[in-house]
Amino acid sequence: NGTTTFRFDLKHGGRTSLKVYNLLGQEVATVMDQFMEAGRHSVNFGLDDLASGVYVYRIESGDFVSSKKLVLLK
């Protein structure tokens, strides 16, 4: 499995970013950073450039912020 899909809902449209960080807090990938309309969305992300390990992904859109853990096993 070389990809994962992030699924999320936005109550309001606006500039939305989805970034992946390692456990040291360093940004390792920007999955997307663009204007998105309100509604349900899914974004595919290729994992080939990341090593196995634990990461944190963060979605920001307006005043909404959500961070979750991502475990990658190759």
Side-chain angles (χ1 to χ4, degrees), residues 4-61:
T4 191
T5 302
F6 297 100
R7 292 181 179 90
F8 54 95
D9 296 317
L10 297 176
K11 286 187 178 184
H12 306 286
R15 184 137 196 101
T16 304
S17 70
L18 173 54
K19 297 182 180 186
V20 179
Y21 299 88
N22 63 20
L23 291 182
L24 298 175
Q26 300 165 323
E27 182 181 324
V28 295
T30 298
V31 178
M32 54 155 247
D33 187 8
Q34 65 190 41
F35 182 87
M36 299 190 87
E37 297 290 338
R40 181 163 289 180
H41 299 276
S42 63
V43 178
N44 292 324
F45 176 58
L47 301 168
D48 295 333
D49 294 337
L50 297 179
S52 293
V54 179
Y55 297 89
V56 174
Y57 66 93
R58 180 178 172 104
I59 300 172
E60 294 184 49
S61 184

Side-chain angles (χ1 to χ4, degrees), residues 55-73:
Y55 297 89
V56 174
Y57 66 93
R58 180 178 172 104
I59 300 172
E60 294 184 49
S61 184
D63 60 353
F64 173 76
V65 178
S66 178
S67 298
K68 299 198 179 190
K69 183 170 54 171
L70 168 70
V71 178
L72 175 59
L73 299 172

